[in-house]
């Protein structure tokens, strides 16, 4: 039995008939070809699959696509002209806040969420807020620096 899902993805209306067990992550990646949403652990631990659903950061590996029916979903691809994301990406580049880049889309989505709730957060706040995002490569220091610098710039 198939289920119909209709949602807004990065500003565009999308409808599809899918298996009811399909996750939002697979709906986005496999169904729509939006591969910035990465799949690491697939059980809610690493944060690589983080997207925004109705303004809230969400682990798309833990959310069934049918549950997102009627929602407004944003992935990194849909935030190319977002002013906060533009600043974050520049600081990630300038502070060398990535190595392999696998965690980076989820880090950026979460960083944007952090900056939406904290004005110019300090390193301690950023580390606490990032505790659900795993990175195997960087040791986190430069990611924290990049988010801190972006927060300072945006607060000016
Ligand atoms: S792939 Fe979703 S939290 Fe790891
Ligand atoms: S840069 Fe490789 S996992 Fe974070």
């Amino acid at each position: 039995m198939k289920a119909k899902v209709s949602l807004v993805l990065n500003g565009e209306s999308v409808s599809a008939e899918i298996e009811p067990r399909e996750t939002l992550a697979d709906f986005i990646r496999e169904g729509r070809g939006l591969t910035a949403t990465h799949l690491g652990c697939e059980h809610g631990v690493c944060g690589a699959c983080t997207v925004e659903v109705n303004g809230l950061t969400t682990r798309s590996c833990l959310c069934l696509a049918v549950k997102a029916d009627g929602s407004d979903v944003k992935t990194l691809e849909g935030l190319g002209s977002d002013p906060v994301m533009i600043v974050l990406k520049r600081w990630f580049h300038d502070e060398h806040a990535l190595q392999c880049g696998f965690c980076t889309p989820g880090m950026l989505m979460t960083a944007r969420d952090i900056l939406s709730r904290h004005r110019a957060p300090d390193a301690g706040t950023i580390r606490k807020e990032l505790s659900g995002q795993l990175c195997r490569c960087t040791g986190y220091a430069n990611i924290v620096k990049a988010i801190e610098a972006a927060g300072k710039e945006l607060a000016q």
Side-chain angles (χ1 to χ4, degrees):
M1 191 182 75
K2 297 268 187 184
K4 184 167 183 198
V5 172
S6 300
L7 49 78
V8 177
L9 181 58
N10 295 334
E12 286 183 18
S13 295
V14 174
S15 283
E17 300 271 337
I18 60 164
E19 294 288 337
R21 65 171 185 267
E22 184 170 315
T23 64
L24 181 59
D26 285 340
F27 183 86
I28 290 166
R29 278 185 64 86
E30 308 301 329
R32 313 275 86 72
L34 296 174
T35 54
T37 302
H38 289 171
L39 279 168
C41 65
E42 297 192 55
H43 60 273
V45 175
C46 72
C49 65
T50 303
V51 300
E52 188 184 285
V53 179
N54 294 331
L56 298 174
T57 50
T58 299
R59 309 219 148 182
S60 60
C61 72
L62 291 185
C63 177
L64 290 174
V66 289
K67 211 169 161 228
D69 186 48
S71 299
D72 183 19
V73 179
K74 287 194 180 71
T75 69
L76 189 60
E77 289 97 335
L79 295 169
S81 55
D82 177 80
V84 176
M85 195 57 89
I86 288 170
V87 172
L88 275 166
K89 282 184 186 169
R90 175 161 40 75
W91 279 109
F92 266 59
H93 178 269
D94 290 357
E95 292 288 357
H96 308 291
L98 63 145
Q99 288 180 29
C100 78
F102 189 84
C103 69
T104 309
M107 287 287 181
L108 285 167
M109 295 299 288
T110 300
R112 180 171 170 271
D113 176 61
I114 294 169
L115 296 184
S116 76
R117 291 180 291 105
H118 298 276
R119 185 178 159 83
D122 61 19
T125 303
I126 294 166
R127 282 187 179 277
K128 191 169 159 212
E129 291 277 349
L130 272 188
S131 60
Q133 302 297 125
L134 300 187
C135 174
R136 291 178 170 198
C137 310
T138 63
Y140 301 95
N142 289 358
I143 295 174
V144 173
K145 270 194 221 163
I147 298 171
E148 194 175 6
K152 279 192 185 135
E153 179 178 328
L154 289 162
Q156 280 170 10

